[in-house]
Coordinates of all heavy atoms in Angstrom, one line a residue:
M1 N 0.9 -1.2 0.0 CA 0.0 0.0 0.0 C 0.9 1.2 0.0 O 1.9 1.3 0.7 CB -0.9 0.0 1.2 CG -1.7 1.2 1.3 SD -3.1 1.1 2.5 CE -4.1 -0.1 1.8
R2 N 0.5 2.2 -0.7 CA 1.2 3.5 -0.8 C 0.6 4.6 0.1 O -0.6 4.5 0.4 CB 1.3 4.0 -2.3 CG 2.0 3.0 -3.2 CD 1.9 3.5 -4.6 NE 2.7 2.5 -5.4 CZ 3.3 2.8 -6.5 NH1 3.3 4.1 -6.9 NH2 3.9 1.9 -7.1
E3 N 1.4 5.6 0.3 CA 1.0 6.7 1.1 C -0.2 7.4 0.5 O -1.2 7.8 1.2 CB 2.1 7.7 1.3 CG 1.8 8.9 2.1 CD 2.9 9.9 2.2 OE1 4.1 9.5 2.3 OE2 2.6 11.1 2.2
R4 N -0.2 7.5 -0.8 CA -1.4 8.2 -1.5 C -2.7 7.4 -1.3 O -3.7 8.0 -1.3 CB -1.1 8.5 -2.9 CG -1.0 7.3 -3.8 CD -0.7 7.6 -5.2 NE -0.5 6.5 -6.0 CZ 0.4 6.4 -7.0 NH1 1.1 7.4 -7.3 NH2 0.5 5.3 -7.6
E5 N -2.6 6.1 -1.2 CA -3.8 5.3 -0.9 C -4.4 5.6 0.5 O -5.6 5.7 0.7 CB -3.6 3.8 -1.1 CG -3.2 3.5 -2.6 CD -2.7 2.1 -2.7 OE1 -1.6 1.8 -2.1 OE2 -3.4 1.3 -3.4
I6 N -3.5 5.7 1.4 CA -3.9 6.0 2.8 C -4.5 7.5 2.8 O -5.5 7.7 3.5 CB -2.7 5.9 3.8 CG1 -2.2 4.4 3.8 CG2 -3.1 6.3 5.2 CD1 -0.9 4.2 4.5
E7 N -3.8 8.4 2.1 CA -4.3 9.8 2.0 C -5.7 9.8 1.4 O -6.6 10.5 1.9 CB -3.4 10.6 1.2 CG -3.9 12.1 1.1 CD -3.0 12.9 0.2 OE1 -2.1 12.4 -0.5 OE2 -3.2 14.1 0.3
A8 N -6.0 9.0 0.4 CA -7.3 9.0 -0.3 C -8.3 8.5 0.6 O -9.5 9.0 0.7 CB -7.2 8.2 -1.6
H9 N -8.0 7.5 1.4 CA -8.9 6.9 2.4 C -9.2 8.0 3.5 O -10.4 8.1 3.9 CB -8.4 5.7 3.0 CG -9.3 5.0 4.0 ND1 -10.4 4.3 3.6 CD2 -9.3 5.0 5.3 CE1 -11.1 3.9 4.6 NE2 -10.4 4.2 5.7
L10 N -8.2 8.7 4.0 CA -8.4 9.7 5.0 C -9.4 10.8 4.5 O -10.3 11.1 5.1 CB -7.1 10.4 5.4 CG -7.1 11.6 6.3 CD1 -7.6 11.1 7.7 CD2 -5.8 12.3 6.3
V11 N -9.1 11.3 3.2 CA -10.0 12.3 2.7 C -11.4 11.8 2.5 O -12.4 12.5 2.9 CB -9.4 12.8 1.3 CG1 -10.4 13.7 0.6 CG2 -8.1 13.5 1.5
K12 N -11.6 10.6 2.0 CA -12.9 10.1 1.8 C -13.7 9.9 3.1 O -14.8 10.4 3.3 CB -12.8 8.7 1.2 CG -14.1 8.0 0.9 CD -13.9 6.6 0.3 CE -15.2 5.8 0.2 NZ -14.9 4.5 -0.3
R13 N -13.0 9.4 4.2 CA -13.7 9.2 5.5 C -14.0 10.6 6.1 O -15.1 10.7 6.7 CB -12.8 8.4 6.4 CG -12.7 6.9 6.0 CD -14.0 6.2 6.4 NE -13.9 6.1 7.9 CZ -14.8 6.5 8.7 NH1 -15.9 7.1 8.3 NH2 -14.7 6.3 10.0
V14 N -13.1 11.5 6.1 CA -13.3 12.8 6.7 C -14.5 13.5 6.0 O -15.4 14.1 6.7 CB -12.0 13.7 6.7 CG1 -12.4 15.1 7.2 CG2 -11.0 13.1 7.7
K15 N -14.5 13.5 4.7 CA -15.6 14.1 4.0 C -16.9 13.5 4.3 O -18.0 14.2 4.4 CB -15.3 14.1 2.5 CG -14.2 15.1 2.1 CD -14.1 15.2 0.6 CE -13.0 16.2 0.3 NZ -13.5 17.6 0.2
A16 N -16.9 12.1 4.5 CA -18.2 11.4 4.8 C -18.7 11.9 6.2 O -19.9 11.8 6.5 CB -17.9 9.9 4.8
L17 N -17.8 12.3 7.1 CA -18.2 12.8 8.4 C -18.5 14.3 8.4 O -18.8 14.9 9.4 CB -17.0 12.6 9.4 CG -16.7 11.1 9.7 CD1 -15.4 11.0 10.5 CD2 -17.9 10.5 10.5
G18 N -18.4 14.9 7.2 CA -18.7 16.4 7.1 C -17.5 17.3 7.3 O -17.7 18.5 7.5
G19 N -16.3 16.7 7.4 CA -15.1 17.5 7.6 C -14.4 17.8 6.4 O -14.8 17.6 5.3
E20 N -13.2 18.4 6.6 CA -12.4 18.8 5.5 C -10.9 18.4 5.7 O -10.5 18.3 6.9 CB -12.4 20.4 5.3 CG -13.7 20.9 5.0 CD -14.1 20.7 3.5 OE1 -13.2 20.4 2.7 OE2 -15.3 20.7 3.2
V21 N -10.2 18.1 4.7 CA -8.8 17.8 4.7 C -8.1 18.8 3.8 O -8.5 19.0 2.7 CB -8.4 16.4 4.3 CG1 -6.9 16.2 4.3 CG2 -9.1 15.4 5.2
R22 N -7.1 19.5 4.4 CA -6.4 20.5 3.6 C -4.9 20.0 3.5 O -4.3 19.7 4.5 CB -6.4 21.9 4.2 CG -7.8 22.5 4.3 CD -8.2 22.9 2.9 NE -9.4 23.6 2.9 CZ -10.6 23.1 2.5 NH1 -10.7 21.8 2.1 NH2 -11.7 23.8 2.5
K23 N -4.4 20.0 2.3 CA -3.0 19.7 2.1 C -2.2 21.1 2.2 O -2.6 22.0 1.6 CB -2.7 19.1 0.7 CG -1.4 18.5 0.6 CD -1.4 17.6 -0.6 CE -0.2 16.7 -0.6 NZ -0.3 15.6 -1.5
V24 N -1.2 21.1 3.1 CA -0.6 22.3 3.4 C 0.9 22.3 3.0 O 1.6 21.3 3.2 CB -0.7 22.6 4.9 CG1 0.0 23.9 5.3 CG2 -2.1 22.6 5.4
Q25 N 1.4 23.4 2.4 CA 2.8 23.5 2.1 C 3.4 24.5 3.0 O 2.9 25.7 3.0 CB 2.9 23.8 0.6 CG 4.3 23.5 0.1 CD 4.3 23.7 -1.4 OE1 3.5 24.5 -2.0 NE2 5.2 23.0 -2.1
W26 N 4.4 24.2 3.8 CA 5.0 25.1 4.7 C 6.2 25.8 4.0 O 7.1 25.1 3.6 CB 5.5 24.3 5.9 CG 4.4 23.7 6.7 CD1 3.7 22.6 6.4 CD2 3.8 24.2 7.9 NE1 2.7 22.3 7.3 CE2 2.8 23.3 8.3 CE3 4.0 25.2 8.8 CZ2 2.0 23.4 9.4 CZ3 3.3 25.4 9.9 CH2 2.3 24.5 10.2
I27 N 6.2 27.1 4.0 CA 7.3 27.8 3.4 C 8.4 28.1 4.5 O 8.0 28.7 5.5 CB 6.8 29.1 2.8 CG1 5.8 28.8 1.6 CG2 8.0 30.0 2.3 CD1 5.1 29.9 1.1
G28 N 9.6 27.6 4.3 CA 10.6 27.9 5.2 C 10.6 27.0 6.5 O 11.3 27.3 7.4
R29 N 9.8 25.9 6.4 CA 9.8 25.1 7.6 C 9.7 23.6 7.2 O 8.8 23.1 6.6 CB 8.5 25.4 8.4 CG 8.3 24.6 9.7 CD 9.4 24.7 10.7 NE 9.2 25.8 11.6 CZ 10.1 26.2 12.4 NH1 11.3 25.6 12.5 NH2 9.9 27.2 13.2
R30 N 10.8 22.9 7.4 CA 10.9 21.5 7.1 C 10.3 20.7 8.3 O 10.5 21.0 9.4 CB 12.4 21.1 6.9 CG 13.0 21.6 5.7 CD 14.4 21.1 5.5 NE 14.4 19.7 5.3 CZ 15.2 18.8 5.8 NH1 16.2 19.3 6.6 NH2 15.1 17.5 5.6
G31 N 9.7 19.6 7.9 CA 9.3 18.6 8.9 C 7.9 18.7 9.4 O 7.4 17.9 10.2
A32 N 7.2 19.8 9.1 CA 5.8 20.0 9.6 C 4.9 19.1 8.9 O 5.1 18.7 7.7 CB 5.4 21.5 9.4
P33 N 3.8 18.6 9.5 CA 2.8 17.8 8.9 C 2.2 18.5 7.7 O 2.1 19.7 7.6 CB 1.8 17.6 10.0 CG 2.4 17.9 11.2 CD 3.5 18.9 10.9
D34 N 1.8 17.7 6.7 CA 1.4 18.3 5.5 C -0.1 18.2 5.2 O -0.6 18.6 4.2 CB 2.1 17.7 4.2 CG 2.2 16.2 4.3 OD1 1.6 15.6 5.1 OD2 2.9 15.6 3.4
R35 N -0.9 17.8 6.2 CA -2.3 17.8 6.1 C -3.0 18.3 7.4 O -2.5 17.9 8.5 CB -2.8 16.4 5.8 CG -2.6 16.0 4.4 CD -2.4 14.6 4.2 NE -1.8 14.2 2.9 CZ -0.5 14.0 2.7 NH1 0.3 14.2 3.6 NH2 -0.1 13.7 1.5
L36 N -4.0 19.0 7.3 CA -4.8 19.5 8.4 C -6.2 18.9 8.2 O -6.8 19.0 7.2 CB -4.9 21.0 8.4 CG -5.9 21.6 9.5 CD1 -5.4 21.3 10.9 CD2 -6.0 23.1 9.3
V37 N -6.7 18.2 9.3 CA -8.0 17.6 9.3 C -8.9 18.4 10.2 O -8.5 18.6 11.4 CB -7.9 16.1 9.7 CG1 -9.3 15.5 9.9 CG2 -7.1 15.3 8.8
V38 N -10.0 18.9 9.7 CA -10.9 19.7 10.5 C -12.3 19.0 10.4 O -12.8 18.8 9.3 CB -11.0 21.1 10.0 CG1 -12.0 21.9 10.8 CG2 -9.7 21.8 10.0
C39 N -12.8 18.6 11.5 CA -14.1 17.9 11.5 C -14.9 18.4 12.7 O -14.9 17.9 13.8 CB -13.8 16.4 11.6 SG -15.1 15.4 10.9
K40 N -15.6 19.5 12.4 CA -16.4 20.2 13.4 C -17.3 19.3 14.3 O -18.0 18.4 13.7 CB -17.3 21.2 12.8 CG -18.0 22.2 13.7 CD -17.0 23.3 14.1 CE -17.8 24.3 14.9 NZ -17.0 24.8 16.0
G41 N -17.1 19.4 15.6 CA -17.9 18.6 16.5 C -17.5 17.2 16.7 O -18.0 16.4 17.4
R42 N -16.4 16.8 16.0 CA -15.9 15.4 16.1 C -14.8 15.4 17.2 O -13.9 16.3 17.2 CB -15.2 15.0 14.8 CG -14.8 13.6 14.7 CD -15.9 12.7 14.4 NE -15.5 11.4 14.4 CZ -16.3 10.4 14.3 NH1 -17.6 10.6 14.3 NH2 -15.9 9.2 14.3
V43 N -14.8 14.4 18.0 CA -13.8 14.3 19.1 C -12.9 13.1 18.6 O -13.4 12.0 18.5 CB -14.4 14.0 20.4 CG1 -13.3 13.7 21.5 CG2 -15.3 15.1 20.9
F44 N -11.6 13.4 18.4 CA -10.7 12.4 17.9 C -10.3 11.5 19.1 O -10.2 12.0 20.3 CB -9.5 13.0 17.3 CG -9.7 13.7 16.0 CD1 -9.4 15.0 15.9 CD2 -10.3 13.0 15.0 CE1 -9.6 15.7 14.6 CE2 -10.6 13.7 13.8 CZ -10.2 15.0 13.6
V45 N -10.1 10.3 18.9 CA -9.7 9.3 19.9 C -8.5 9.8 20.7 O -8.4 9.7 21.9 CB -9.5 7.9 19.3 CG1 -8.9 6.9 20.3 CG2 -10.8 7.4 18.7
Q46 N -7.5 10.3 20.0 CA -6.2 10.7 20.6 C -6.4 11.8 21.6 O -5.5 12.0 22.4 CB -5.2 11.0 19.6 CG -4.6 9.9 18.8 CD -5.4 9.4 17.7 OE1 -6.5 9.9 17.5 NE2 -4.9 8.5 16.9
D47 N -7.4 12.6 21.5 CA -7.5 13.8 22.3 C -8.9 14.4 22.2 O -9.7 13.9 21.4 CB -6.4 14.8 21.9 CG -6.0 15.7 23.0 OD1 -6.7 15.7 24.1 OD2 -5.1 16.5 22.8
V48 N -9.1 15.5 22.8 CA -10.4 16.2 22.7 C -10.2 17.3 21.6 O -9.2 17.9 21.5 CB -10.8 16.9 24.0 CG1 -12.1 17.6 23.9 CG2 -10.8 15.8 25.1
G49 N -11.2 17.5 20.8 CA -11.2 18.6 19.8 C -11.6 18.2 18.5 O -12.0 17.0 18.3
D50 N -11.6 19.1 17.5 CA -12.1 18.8 16.2 C -11.1 19.1 15.1 O -11.5 19.3 14.0 CB -13.4 19.4 16.0 CG -13.4 20.9 16.2 OD1 -12.3 21.5 16.4 OD2 -14.5 21.5 16.3
D51 N -9.8 19.1 15.4 CA -8.8 19.3 14.3 C -7.6 18.5 14.7 O -7.3 18.3 15.9 CB -8.5 20.7 14.0 CG -7.9 21.5 15.2 OD1 -8.2 21.0 16.4 OD2 -7.2 22.4 15.0
A52 N -6.8 18.2 13.7 CA -5.6 17.4 13.9 C -4.6 17.7 12.7 O -5.1 17.7 11.5 CB -5.8 15.9 14.0
W53 N -3.4 17.8 13.0 CA -2.4 17.9 11.9 C -2.0 16.4 11.7 O -1.7 15.7 12.7 CB -1.2 18.7 12.3 CG -1.4 20.2 12.4 CD1 -1.8 20.9 13.4 CD2 -1.5 21.0 11.2 NE1 -2.0 22.2 13.0 CE2 -1.8 22.3 11.7 CE3 -1.2 20.8 9.9 CZ2 -1.9 23.4 10.8 CZ3 -1.3 21.9 9.0 CH2 -1.7 23.2 9.5
V54 N -1.9 16.0 10.5 CA -1.7 14.6 10.1 C -0.5 14.5 9.2 O -0.4 15.1 8.2 CB -2.9 13.9 9.5 CG1 -2.6 12.5 9.1 CG2 -4.1 14.0 10.4
E55 N 0.5 13.7 9.6 CA 1.6 13.3 8.8 C 1.4 11.9 8.3 O 1.2 10.9 9.1 CB 2.9 13.3 9.6 CG 4.2 12.9 8.9 CD 4.6 14.0 7.9 OE1 4.6 15.2 8.2 OE2 4.8 13.6 6.7
L56 N 1.2 11.7 7.0 CA 0.9 10.4 6.4 C 2.2 9.8 6.0 O 3.1 10.5 5.4 CB 0.0 10.5 5.3 CG -1.5 10.9 5.7 CD1 -2.3 11.2 4.5 CD2 -2.1 9.8 6.5
K57 N 2.4 8.5 6.2 CA 3.6 7.8 5.8 C 3.1 6.5 5.1 O 2.0 6.0 5.4 CB 4.5 7.4 7.0 CG 5.1 8.6 7.6 CD 6.1 9.2 6.8 CE 6.9 10.3 7.4 NZ 7.8 11.0 6.4
A58 N 4.0 5.9 4.3 CA 3.7 4.6 3.8 C 3.8 3.6 5.0 O 4.5 3.9 5.9 CB 4.8 4.2 2.7
P59 N 3.2 2.4 4.8 CA 3.2 1.5 5.9 C 4.7 1.2 6.4 O 5.5 0.9 5.5 CB 2.5 0.2 5.4 CG 1.6 0.8 4.4 CD 2.3 2.0 3.8
G60 N 4.9 1.3 7.7 CA 6.2 0.9 8.3 C 7.2 2.0 8.2 O 8.3 1.9 8.8
V61 N 6.9 3.1 7.5 CA 7.9 4.2 7.3 C 7.7 5.1 8.5 O 6.6 5.6 8.8 CB 7.7 5.0 6.0 CG1 8.6 6.2 5.9 CG2 8.0 4.0 4.8
K62 N 8.8 5.4 9.2 CA 8.7 6.3 10.4 C 9.1 7.7 10.0 O 9.9 7.9 9.1 CB 9.7 5.8 11.5 CG 9.4 4.4 11.9 CD 8.1 4.3 12.5 CE 7.8 2.8 13.0 NZ 6.4 2.5 13.2
P63 N 8.6 8.7 10.7 CA 9.0 10.1 10.5 C 10.5 10.3 10.7 O 11.1 9.6 11.6 CB 8.3 10.9 11.5 CG 7.2 10.0 12.0 CD 7.6 8.6 11.8
E64 N 11.1 11.1 9.9 CA 12.6 11.4 10.1 C 12.8 12.3 11.3 O 11.8 12.9 11.8 CB 13.1 12.1 8.9 CG 13.0 11.2 7.6 CD 13.5 11.9 6.4 OE1 14.4 12.7 6.4 OE2 13.0 11.5 5.3
A65 N 14.0 12.4 11.8 CA 14.3 13.1 13.0 C 13.9 14.6 12.9 O 13.3 15.1 13.9 CB 15.8 13.1 13.3
H66 N 14.1 15.3 11.8 CA 13.6 16.7 11.7 C 12.1 16.8 11.8 O 11.6 17.8 12.3 CB 14.2 17.3 10.5 CG 13.6 16.9 9.2 ND1 13.9 15.7 8.5 CD2 12.6 17.5 8.4 CE1 13.2 15.6 7.4 NE2 12.4 16.6 7.3
Q67 N 11.4 15.8 11.3 CA 9.9 15.8 11.4 C 9.5 15.6 12.8 O 8.6 16.3 13.3 CB 9.3 14.7 10.5 CG 9.5 15.0 9.0 CD 9.0 13.8 8.2 OE1 9.4 12.7 8.4 NE2 8.2 14.1 7.2
L68 N 10.1 14.7 13.5 CA 9.8 14.5 14.9 C 10.0 15.7 15.8 O 9.2 16.0 16.6 CB 10.6 13.3 15.5 CG 10.2 11.9 14.9 CD1 11.2 10.8 15.4 CD2 8.8 11.5 15.2
R69 N 11.1 16.4 15.5 CA 11.4 17.7 16.2 C 10.3 18.7 16.0 O 9.8 19.4 16.9 CB 12.8 18.2 15.8 CG 13.9 17.5 16.5 CD 15.2 18.3 16.2 NE 15.6 18.5 14.8 CZ 16.2 17.6 14.1 NH1 16.7 16.5 14.6 NH2 16.5 17.9 12.8
E70 N 9.9 18.8 14.7 CA 8.8 19.8 14.4 C 7.5 19.4 15.0 O 6.8 20.3 15.5 CB 8.7 20.0 12.9 CG 7.7 21.1 12.5 CD 8.1 22.5 12.9 OE1 9.3 22.7 13.2 OE2 7.2 23.3 12.9
H71 N 7.2 18.2 15.0 CA 5.9 17.7 15.6 C 5.9 18.0 17.1 O 4.9 18.5 17.6 CB 5.8 16.2 15.4 CG 5.7 15.7 14.0 ND1 5.6 14.4 13.6 CD2 5.6 16.5 12.8 CE1 5.5 14.3 12.3 NE2 5.5 15.6 11.8
Q72 N 7.1 17.8 17.7 CA 7.2 18.1 19.2 C 7.0 19.6 19.4 O 6.3 20.0 20.4 CB 8.5 17.7 19.8 CG 8.5 16.2 20.2 CD 7.4 16.0 21.2 OE1 6.4 15.2 20.8 NE2 7.4 16.5 22.4
R73 N 7.6 20.5 18.6 CA 7.4 21.9 18.7 C 5.9 22.3 18.6 O 5.4 23.1 19.4 CB 8.2 22.7 17.6 CG 9.6 22.8 17.8 CD 10.3 23.6 16.7 NE 11.7 23.4 16.7 CZ 12.3 22.7 15.7 NH1 11.7 22.3 14.6 NH2 13.6 22.5 15.7
M74 N 5.2 21.7 17.7 CA 3.8 22.0 17.5 C 3.0 21.5 18.7 O 2.1 22.2 19.2 CB 3.3 21.3 16.2 CG 3.9 22.0 15.0 SD 3.5 21.1 13.4 CE 1.8 21.7 13.2
R75 N 3.3 20.3 19.2 CA 2.6 19.7 20.3 C 2.8 20.6 21.6 O 1.9 20.8 22.4 CB 3.0 18.3 20.6 CG 2.5 17.3 19.6 CD 3.0 15.9 19.9 NE 2.6 15.0 18.9 CZ 3.4 14.3 18.1 NH1 4.7 14.3 18.3 NH2 2.9 13.5 17.2
K76 N 4.0 21.1 21.7 CA 4.3 22.0 22.8 C 3.4 23.2 22.9 O 3.1 23.8 23.9 CB 5.8 22.5 22.7 CG 6.3 23.3 23.9 CD 7.8 23.6 23.8 CE 7.9 25.0 23.4 NZ 9.3 25.5 23.3
H77 N 2.9 23.6 21.7 CA 2.0 24.8 21.7 C 0.5 24.4 21.6 O -0.4 25.1 21.3 CB 2.3 25.6 20.4 CG 3.7 26.3 20.6 ND1 3.9 27.4 21.4 CD2 4.9 26.0 20.0 CE1 5.1 27.8 21.3 NE2 5.8 27.0 20.5
G78 N 0.3 23.1 22.0 CA -1.1 22.6 22.1 C -1.8 22.1 20.9 O -3.0 21.8 20.9
L79 N -1.0 21.9 19.8 CA -1.6 21.4 18.6 C -1.5 19.8 18.6 O -0.6 19.3 19.2 CB -0.8 21.9 17.4 CG -0.8 23.4 17.2 CD1 0.1 23.8 16.1 CD2 -2.3 23.9 16.9
R80 N -2.5 19.2 18.1 CA -2.5 17.8 18.0 C -1.8 17.4 16.7 O -2.2 17.8 15.6 CB -3.9 17.3 18.0 CG -4.0 15.7 17.9 CD -5.5 15.3 17.9 NE -6.2 15.9 19.0 CZ -7.1 16.9 18.8 NH1 -7.3 17.4 17.6 NH2 -7.7 17.4 19.8
V81 N -0.8 16.5 16.8 CA -0.1 16.0 15.6 C -0.1 14.5 15.7 O 0.3 13.9 16.7 CB 1.4 16.5 15.5 CG1 2.1 16.0 14.3 CG2 1.4 18.0 15.5
V82 N -0.6 13.8 14.6 CA -0.6 12.4 14.6 C 0.1 11.9 13.3 O 0.1 12.6 12.3 CB -2.0 11.8 14.6 CG1 -2.7 12.1 15.9 CG2 -2.8 12.3 13.5
V83 N 0.8 10.8 13.4 CA 1.4 10.1 12.3 C 0.6 8.9 12.0 O 0.4 8.1 12.8 CB 2.9 9.8 12.6 CG1 3.5 9.1 11.4 CG2 3.7 11.0 13.0
I84 N 0.2 8.8 10.7 CA -0.6 7.6 10.3 C 0.1 6.9 9.1 O 0.5 7.6 8.2 CB -2.0 8.1 9.9 CG1 -2.7 8.7 11.1 CG2 -2.8 6.9 9.3 CD1 -4.1 9.3 10.8
D85 N 0.2 5.6 9.3 CA 0.8 4.8 8.2 C 0.0 3.6 7.7 O 0.5 2.7 7.1 CB 2.2 4.3 8.6 CG 2.2 3.2 9.7 OD1 1.1 3.0 10.2 OD2 3.3 2.6 9.9
S86 N -1.3 3.7 8.0 CA -2.2 2.6 7.6 C -3.6 3.0 7.6 O -4.0 4.1 8.1 CB -2.1 1.4 8.6 OG -2.6 1.8 9.9
I87 N -4.5 2.2 6.9 CA -5.9 2.5 6.9 C -6.4 2.3 8.3 O -7.3 3.1 8.7 CB -6.6 1.5 5.9 CG1 -6.1 1.6 4.5 CG2 -8.1 1.6 6.1 CD1 -6.5 2.9 3.8
K88 N -5.9 1.4 9.0 CA -6.3 1.2 10.4 C -6.0 2.5 11.2 O -6.8 2.9 12.1 CB -5.5 0.0 11.0 CG -5.9 -0.3 12.5 CD -5.1 -1.4 13.0 CE -5.4 -1.6 14.5 NZ -4.5 -2.6 15.2
G89 N -4.9 3.1 11.0 CA -4.6 4.4 11.7 C -5.6 5.5 11.4 O -5.9 6.2 12.3
V90 N -6.0 5.5 10.1 CA -7.1 6.5 9.8 C -8.4 6.2 10.6 O -9.0 7.1 11.2 CB -7.4 6.5 8.3 CG1 -8.6 7.3 7.9 CG2 -6.2 6.9 7.5
E91 N -8.7 4.9 10.6 CA -10.0 4.5 11.3 C -9.8 4.8 12.8 O -10.8 5.3 13.5 CB -10.3 3.1 11.0 CG -10.6 2.8 9.6 CD -11.8 3.6 9.1 OE1 -12.8 3.8 9.8 OE2 -11.7 4.1 7.9
E92 N -8.7 4.6 13.4 CA -8.5 4.9 14.8 C -8.6 6.4 15.1 O -9.1 6.8 16.1 CB -7.1 4.3 15.3 CG -7.1 2.8 15.4 CD -5.7 2.3 15.7 OE1 -4.7 3.1 15.8 OE2 -5.6 1.1 15.8
L93 N -8.1 7.2 14.2 CA -8.2 8.7 14.4 C -9.6 9.1 14.3 O -10.0 9.9 15.1 CB -7.4 9.4 13.3 CG -7.5 10.9 13.3 CD1 -6.8 11.5 14.5 CD2 -7.0 11.5 12.0
L94 N -10.4 8.5 13.5 CA -11.8 9.0 13.2 C -12.8 8.2 14.0 O -14.0 8.4 13.8 CB -12.1 8.9 11.7 CG -11.2 9.8 10.9 CD1 -11.4 9.6 9.4 CD2 -11.3 11.3 11.2
R95 N -12.4 7.3 14.8 CA -13.4 6.5 15.6 C -14.3 7.3 16.4 O -14.1 8.3 16.9 CB -12.6 5.5 16.5 CG -13.4 4.4 17.0 CD -12.7 3.5 17.9 NE -11.4 3.1 17.3 CZ -10.4 2.5 18.0 NH1 -10.6 2.3 19.3 NH2 -9.3 2.2 17.4

């Protein structure tokens, strides 16, 4: 399975819930997640709230060190960042 297949599943599921997925390009910032999931009124399993920054990876591929550092910076400021590498991960996020 490829990363783009996981992304397509994420987009399809979020839209079915009435939410939105935005692909984001960060200028001058390496390692930041490249998708924002907004699903009004939805409480994600990982935390409370209705939005999450999502880093998608191919199955078994882990984030690189610079990505982990940026994810930690974002979490320190109260943002939810999740790394998903499977269809199961998408389902767990949206449960």
